Amino acid sequence: MKKILNGLILILWMALASCADTFKVGDAFLEKAPSVDVDKDVVFNDANYARAFLWNAYTSLYYGRPLNWGAKGNRMGMGAVDALTDCFTSGLGWDGVNGLYYSGQFNATSDYASAVYSYSNGEDQWTGIRKAWLFIENIAQTPNIDDKEKERLKGEAKMIIACHYADMYRNYGGLPLVTKAFDPNDNFKLPRATARETMQFIVNLCDEAFSVLPWALQSGEQEQWAGRFTSAAALGLKIRILLFAASPLFNDSEPYYPEESSTASVTEQHVWFGGKDMSLWDDVIDACDLFMTRNQQEGNPWDLVKNPANPRQAYQDAYFKRANGELLIDTRARATVSWYWDSNCYYLQSYGSYGAVTPVLEYVNLFPYADGTPFDASFWDEQNKDHYIAADPFANRDPRLYENCLVNNAEFGLDHPAELWIGGREGPANELAGDGGAFTGFNIYKFILDKEHMGGKQDQWPYLRLAEIYLSYAEALNEAGHTGDAYQYVNYVRARVNLSGLKQGLTQDEMRKEILDERAREFGAEEVRYYDMIRWKQAEAFRKRLHGLRIRRGDNNTYSYEKFAVRKRFIQDSEDGTVFFTPKWYLSPFPFVEMNKGYLTQNPGW
């Protein structure tokens, strides 16, 4: 902990020139002015400087895509968290996904810049937490800011802390709880709190922010202030953490790694609540009830983006368009993307051209037909490379398929339908392609769109969308035994893309699967599926072999489809039935350099 925080003790880093009276989301807010070392009394004796200090703390928030080589930008060695799920795979041979995870080499001594999440400030979390506490502790002395605004600004600072802890909680479990800005005389070796204490710490911060922040930004100011925390954002983050905590990873009759139940992290309840507490699902329901009630009282300023005539565009706007009335929390590293090959937006190349997050057949199969009828995945078992057909298995599907994945013959903004067949303009170059973009017969579409028209596009990370609240509400109702009440919230999300509602009469287990599948469809490549697999301890999903298609083009617009298994990951089953997966993979290990200081317990299996 000392190594993490010591460098933050003597410097108040801020971009004084780039931020003045207002919080901006344009280039002026995001450009870095020369940093300066200033005394905190100088900063907090000037209203403009104090506000600018908080705006700068916002830049520490989690941004889910790789940017460029170096520091926080080199996320997962230019890879993607979703490539660890059963929905995507990586064709980028030199990213952290392949180098550490697919190979099974990741451990407590690994390069955390290539890991899912870096505890040692690789995500700027400790920097952001310290800045936020500094702001909370010193804003009272600032002149020319009234008390009401000071409380609002403190609420925003608490949300910065809450977001960072929420990110760490989902990767590590119980954490050392930093409750102030450290100085050189403090003890940096804080012990881990329990999983429940850490959950409550985050919830309390959200509650405190909820009590002082406006429910939504006022009409006319959304574009200028987009990304600034609101009361709805605070309640939304609380719901996310309550849902994670209520799930079986921590909240079960036995710890997630029974064979390691004697380890200190288990016995001291750093990664387990000590038993199953069904009331936690009720807490999620109560928080969701409050969200819906408050939103209605405020005139429903938060709602899903809708466009019945063009549901695909509505869905794209929901994750891509700024100030859309659905993005509860969005973060960014810049205002816009200059062009596709912009070296500072490396995800465009690593995702689209190099295949860092390439859809697999199992994910494509999840998307039903446009009328809501499930797609029959056995279709592919009846195909082979010599069987050419004119029927298009990708036509008339859930509109979200085309926004998450580039599939053969899809319309995608250029002057021709997508050519994902072998040798096609968007497809793999040859029969033996085993990596790179589209090597599975599909490519990513989300965030990169058609690649050719990226100049000037907005560039934010959809950290938390309203659709997640609806699906979390449905999940909690189902787990609490109110399966019949869950339908309306799942169906509301499906209705945005004109899908029919779920069939009636589902059992609790069937509804759970439908909700998790719906979350996979709705939040593709938004780092939701990975944490769903973790919190539900889905060993089978981590272990199963994944597939792609070799699509060949024949005469008269006919195609053949050959299903093939993509390269095996270390934790996936071998053909001889050998199982390599262990539950240790649900959480990350704390870095060895931190463990060696003696203030932490290591997570089970590491």
Side-chain angles (χ1 to χ4, degrees):
M1 179 69 74
K2 186 173 182 179
K3 182 179 180 181
I4 295 171
L5 296 173
N6 195 42
L8 309 176
I9 297 302
L10 300 177
I11 298 176
L12 298 178
W13 186 86
M14 55 185 294
L16 295 175
S18 65
C19 304
D21 288 331
T22 58
F23 177 97
K24 295 181 181 295
V25 298
D27 293 329
F29 169 61
L30 295 165
E31 288 171 355
K32 291 183 178 179
S35 62
V36 292
D37 298 350
V38 293
D39 185 87
K40 65 182 179 181
D41 290 333
V42 173
V43 174
F44 291 104
N45 277 313
D46 183 283
N48 291 335
Y49 287 178
R51 292 190 187 99
F53 185 80
L54 180 62
W55 306 157
N56 179 259
Y58 266 90
T59 65
S60 71
L61 291 172
Y62 183 84
Y63 179 85
R65 297 186 291 266
L67 299 173
N68 50 29
W69 293 104
K72 181 178 177 180
N74 183 21
R75 297 209 67 255
M76 296 202 79
M78 298 302 168
V81 171
D82 277 279
L84 297 175
T85 71
D86 57 351
C87 296
F88 297 89
T89 192
S90 173
L92 181 59
W94 38 265
D95 64 6
V97 176
N98 278 280
L100 292 181
Y101 291 92
Y102 289 1
S103 66
Q105 298 302 306
F106 180 58
N107 58 53
T109 64
S110 296
D111 175 10
Y112 272 68
S114 296
V116 170
Y117 190 90
S118 175
Y119 178 78
S120 298
N121 207 42
E123 304 290 349
D124 283 354
Q125 72 273 43
W126 297 114
T127 303
I129 289 168
R130 173 165 167 76
K131 287 179 180 179
W133 279 125
L134 278 168
F135 184 88
I136 292 167
E137 293 166 1
N138 291 280
I139 189 61
Q141 73 185 51
T142 305
N144 302 320
I145 301 180
D146 62 40
D147 290 343
K148 183 176 181 181
E149 183 183 356
K150 286 179 180 178
E151 289 302 307
R152 176 179 180 175
L153 296 174
K154 285 167 61 178
E156 294 177 57
K158 289 176 181 178
M159 279 300 295
I160 292 172
I161 299 168
C163 282
H164 285 307
Y165 266 95
D167 298 335
M168 289 190 287
Y169 187 61
R170 296 194 299 168
N171 287 284
Y172 295 100
L175 299 157
L177 304 182
V178 175
T179 58
K180 67 171 190 173
F182 281 95
D183 64 48
N185 297 318
D186 286 318
N187 175 21
F188 296 95
K189 296 181 179 179
L190 297 177
R192 288 183 79 174
T194 67
R196 189 179 287 270
E197 288 168 343
T198 305
M199 173 201 74
Q200 195 59 52
F201 178 71
I202 300 168
V203 166
N204 289 345
L205 288 167
C206 291
D207 285 343
E208 292 166 14
F210 174 81
S211 68
V212 296
L213 296 177
W215 178 248
L217 300 177
Q218 296 298 310
S219 177
E221 66 178 10
Q222 289 95 335
E223 187 66 28
Q224 178 184 5
W225 295 82
R228 190 172 180 181
F229 286 122
T230 62
S231 186
L235 188 50
L237 183 65
K238 175 180 175 178
I239 290 167
R240 170 181 279 184
I241 289 305
L242 287 175
L243 186 83
F244 190 89
S247 303
L249 180 66
F250 299 150
N251 185 32
D252 211 343
S253 56
E254 64 178 14
Y256 68 81
Y257 201 166
E259 294 84 353
E260 296 280 333
S261 60
S262 62
T263 61
S265 59
V266 176
T267 60
E268 296 180 26
Q269 298 188 11
H270 297 150
V271 294
W272 183 44
F273 290 160
K276 191 172 185 177
D277 181 0
M278 290 300 294
S279 71
L280 289 173
W281 291 110
D282 294 327
D283 292 341
V284 180
I285 293 171
D286 290 343
C288 291
D289 283 341
L290 177 58
F291 191 102
M292 302 303 170
T293 300
R294 177 67 183 276
N295 196 45
Q296 186 176 33
Q297 291 172 344
E298 297 283 346
N300 295 308
W302 298 99
D303 198 2
L304 301 186
V305 180
K306 297 171 186 172
N307 185 343
N310 192 343
R312 177 178 170 179
Q313 186 63 52
Y315 176 70
Q316 182 185 113
D317 289 346
Y319 75 84
F320 198 84
K321 184 179 179 181
R322 182 175 301 148
N324 61 21
E326 179 171 341
L327 279 170
L328 294 170
I329 302 177
D330 59 300
T331 61
R332 60 189 63 81
R334 64 191 55 73
T336 58
V337 177
S338 61
W339 65 309
Y340 177 70
W341 289 102
D342 183 346
S343 62
N344 288 320
C345 300
Y346 197 84
Y347 71 88
L348 296 172
Q349 302 100 287
S350 68
Y351 282 20
S353 296
Y354 303 147
V357 56
T358 306
V360 296
L361 181 60
E362 283 75 9
Y363 186 49
V364 173
N365 289 343
L366 273 184
F367 292 88
Y369 288 106
D371 64 359
T373 304
F375 178 79
D376 184 0
S378 67
F379 173 87
W380 308 113
D381 298 327
E382 301 169 2
Q383 305 302 315
N384 59 65
K385 63 181 179 181
D386 300 319
H387 183 198
Y388 288 84
I389 61 173
D392 185 354
F394 307 115
N396 300 314
R397 302 279 287 273
D398 179 342
R400 293 172 297 185
L401 169 62
Y402 312 117
E403 278 300 311
N404 283 290
C405 311
L406 189 65
V407 299
N408 195 46
N409 277 332
E411 295 182 8
F412 72 123
L414 297 185
D415 60 357
H416 62 276
E419 298 177 358
L420 272 296
W421 36 274
I422 295 170
R425 280 176 279 188
E426 287 73 44
N430 55 62
E431 297 268 345
L432 300 178
D435 55 19
F439 80 97
T440 63
F442 312 105
N443 209 343
I444 186 71
Y445 185 84
K446 202 169 209 175
F447 302 125
I448 70 170
L449 307 185
D450 63 19
K451 300 194 297 187
E452 301 300 324
H453 299 93
M454 286 303 298
K457 296 292 186 182
Q458 298 166 0
D459 190 37
Q460 71 265 341
W461 174 250
Y463 184 96
L464 178 63
R465 292 199 281 119
L466 181 62
E468 186 174 334
I469 306 304
Y470 284 107
L471 294 177
S472 297
Y473 201 179
E475 182 178 334
L477 287 167
N478 184 57
E479 297 307 318
H482 309 298
T483 301
D485 295 331
Y487 282 89
Q488 62 176 313
Y489 300 107
V490 183
N491 290 343
Y492 191 68
V493 174
R494 290 168 63 91
R496 187 240 295 277
V497 288
N498 292 348
L499 290 185
S500 60
L502 299 177
K503 70 176 182 178
Q504 293 295 311
L506 296 175
T507 66
Q508 185 184 59
D509 289 346
E510 289 170 339
M511 176 61 83
R512 181 185 303 126
K513 182 181 186 304
E514 289 288 353
I515 292 170
L516 291 175
D517 286 351
E518 194 65 35
R519 288 169 68 93
R521 288 186 283 263
E522 179 70 21
F523 304 114
E526 294 181 44
E527 296 187 6
V528 170
R529 178 65 173 176
Y530 177 72
Y531 294 104
D532 284 351
M533 291 168 64
I534 284 172
R535 65 187 178 86
W536 276 103
K537 299 189 292 189
Q538 291 188 332
E540 292 300 321
F542 280 109
R543 289 167 48 194
K544 71 183 180 185
R545 296 298 301 274
L546 303 173
H547 298 83
L549 286 181
R550 293 189 179 97
I551 305 174
R552 300 176 178 85
R553 188 169 186 249
D555 297 330
N556 300 318
N557 293 320
T558 60
Y559 299 89
S560 71
Y561 306 94
E562 181 188 3
K563 180 178 175 181
F564 71 95
V566 301
R567 185 161 61 89
K568 179 185 174 299
R569 306 171 188 177
F570 169 78
I571 60 175
Q572 291 173 333
D573 292 350
S574 293
E575 292 181 1
D576 63 5
T578 304
V579 176
F580 295 97
F581 180 86
T582 67
K584 76 175 187 178
W585 293 99
Y586 292 139
L587 292 182
S588 295
F590 287 99
F592 177 78
V593 293
E594 294 300 322
M595 289 299 305
N596 208 31
K597 297 171 185 176
Y599 71 97
L600 291 170
T601 62
Q602 186 56 283
N603 285 333
W606 296 103

